[in-house]
Amino acid sequence: MGAVTRVLGIETSCDETSAAILTGSGDDVTLDSLVILSQDVHRIFGGVVPELASRQHLTAVVPVVQRALVDADAVLADIDAVAVTHAPGLVGALLVGVSFAKALAFGRGIPCVGVHHMEGHLFATVLEHPRAVPPFIALLVSGGHTLLLDVSAWGQYRLLGRTRDDAAGEAFDKVAKMIQLPYPGGPHVEKLAANGDPTRFHFSRPMLRRNQQHGDDDFYDVSFSGLKTAVLRAVRAGTPDDFPDIARGFHDALVDTLVEKTARAVEHCGRTRVVLGGGVAGNRTLATAMRSRMDRLRTEVYAPSARLASDNAAMIARAGLFHFEQGERAPLDLNAFASYPLPGLVSA
Ligand code: KG4
Ligand code: ZN
């Protein structure tokens, strides 16, 4: 085992202020603490209000980091490096974490590492499942992104497919709004759909044509805007009594699509592991459907708990440790970006 590093991770890209401390080397890592403060204020607006998010990060970031230190039984002097989400996300929100992390690292004379939020999601599952290491197929499904990746090694990501329009989580949130469920809608839609009749609403599976072939540019891509429109039509034609059945029809169509695209990736890339990440990966119905499909392909499925699926600093610290060990150091002018390419990404 190489030198052990203690990393403080910070995540402020959206509406969670989070800090975590982990200790380790390579894939031998222990999570010492994780604090996630979810900003409740956005619920009353039905979506994240960027200005409010930034201000709440500003008041929360210091106590959240202090709490993470206390929970880890550590003091600042024990920290070897700071890892912070610097993209993608709400720029004002990201800037709070980035400015804090740079100031702390500079003041203490320790390195700072910038982490891409989606790469963080890729590293979340291994914190709970030690076998969720490359090579594997990754399905990252969050509120802003839907990515299907072939991961040959940490830091080497081949983009197989992505959404052409809405992200999976975004589709959940929009459908939730249509059927009068609170924000964020994913868990509410999942719960309501579980009570729905699966035979009443059969929505067509987006981007799953029978005659699709490997090499077609929509073989791995997904699209959820047509599904969303079909749901809206059903909502307008129905009554609230139909909502559980509509939710079920939507849920089944979305899950089928994600499972089928992932199965294609497993078969064509010859992988035997699937790792799920991002807020939607906390959906138990998706994980169960993925497992029963992958059983037939003799492929293991690793899904994070809901706590590690959604935004958290443990995954940022974990991805940060990898980049730190690669010798990466953020310059003092590390900036925040609303969108940013995934590092190590190759399209082919
Ligand atoms: O990864 P995440 O916490 O934040 C982003 O990076 O976007 O993902 C948030 C998304 C939201 O759209 C939320 O509705 C969805 O994840 N989500 C779920 C579930 N839990 C959270 N979607 C479906 N089923 C769930 N159980
Ligand atoms: Zn996220």
Side-chain angles (χ1 to χ4, degrees), residues 11 13-14 117-118 121 141-145 278-279 309-312 315:
E11 156 67 38
S13 71
C14 192
H117 182 79
M118 295 312 292
H121 279 302
V141 273
S142 72
H145 297 82
S310 55
D311 292 348
N312 69 83
M315 66 187 199

Side-chain angles (χ1 to χ4, degrees), residues 28-322:
D28 186 1
V29 170
T30 306
L31 182 60
D32 302 319
S33 68
L34 170 60
V35 179
I36 307 171
L37 187 71
S38 291
Q39 302 178 352
D40 255 4
V41 61
H42 307 288
R43 285 173 198 273
I44 53 175
F45 298 101
V48 178
V49 184
E51 166 96 17
L52 293 181
S54 309
R55 288 176 188 274
Q56 292 222 341
H57 286 308
L58 206 52
T59 49
V61 69
V62 171
V64 163
V65 168
Q66 278 172 336
R67 183 77 228 177
L69 285 165
V70 169
D71 288 357
D73 210 4
V75 292
L76 269 183
D78 300 327
I79 304 299
D80 303 308
V82 185
V84 63
T85 311
H86 78 108
L90 303 169
V91 168
L94 287 164
L95 279 171
V96 176
V98 167
S99 305
F100 177 87
K102 285 198 290 188
L104 182 67
F106 183 72
R108 285 259 306 106
I110 56 175
C112 179
V113 180
V115 173
H116 190 286
H117 182 79
M118 295 312 292
E119 192 178 22
H121 279 302
L122 195 66
F123 276 90
T125 311
V126 72
L127 288 165
E128 294 175 315
H129 303 281
R131 287 174 52 78
V133 289
F136 58 73
I137 296 295
L139 176 68
L140 299 183
V141 273
S142 72
H145 297 82
T146 302
L147 298 172
L148 188 62
L149 304 171
D150 181 25
V151 177
S152 50
W154 294 126
Q156 285 177 32
Y157 314 123
R158 190 159 63 92
L159 179 66
L160 300 173
R162 63 193 325 159
T163 181
R164 299 272 177 102
D165 38 60
D166 292 351
E170 198 178 350
F172 268 102
D173 293 338
K174 287 178 177 167
V175 165
K177 217 170 225 178
M178 293 176 203
I179 55 178
Q180 294 160 19
L181 293 172
Y183 171 86
H188 299 283
V189 174
E190 182 184 11
K191 219 166 139 195
L192 192 68
N195 300 319
D197 178 348
T199 62
R200 278 198 64 211
F201 293 92
H202 186 89
F203 300 116
S204 64
R205 275 51 180 151
M207 299 246 165
L208 279 188
R209 286 181 291 105
R210 214 164 287 139
N211 56 353
Q212 262 171 332
Q213 288 183 358
H214 187 240
D216 290 355
D217 64 357
D218 58 356
F219 187 69
Y220 291 123
D221 279 356
V222 295
S223 154
F224 297 118
S225 76
L227 176 60
K228 194 182 63 192
T229 309
V231 169
L232 184 62
R233 248 186 254 122
V235 167
R236 287 196 174 139
T239 72
D241 288 344
D242 298 314
F243 289 174
D245 303 338
I246 294 174
R248 179 59 181 264
F250 161 76
H251 205 285
D252 286 353
L254 186 137
V255 165
D256 271 5
T257 305
L258 293 176
V259 168
E260 186 52 36
K261 297 278 171 168
T262 310
R264 288 177 181 182
V266 165
E267 286 183 305
H268 283 275
C269 301
R271 302 297 185 206
T272 55
R273 273 178 284 220
V274 167
V275 171
L276 306 180
V280 183
N283 186 300
R284 291 299 102 188
T285 318
L286 171 65
T288 305
M290 192 70 80
R291 281 203 182 96
S292 62
R293 179 78 175 82
M294 294 304 159
D295 273 355
R296 286 189 266 145
L297 300 175
R298 297 183 189 287
T299 293
E300 289 293 328
V301 176
Y302 301 98
S305 64
R307 182 168 160 83
L308 284 184
S310 55
D311 292 348
N312 69 83
M315 66 187 199
I316 302 304
R318 182 65 185 78
L321 173 65
F322 167 74

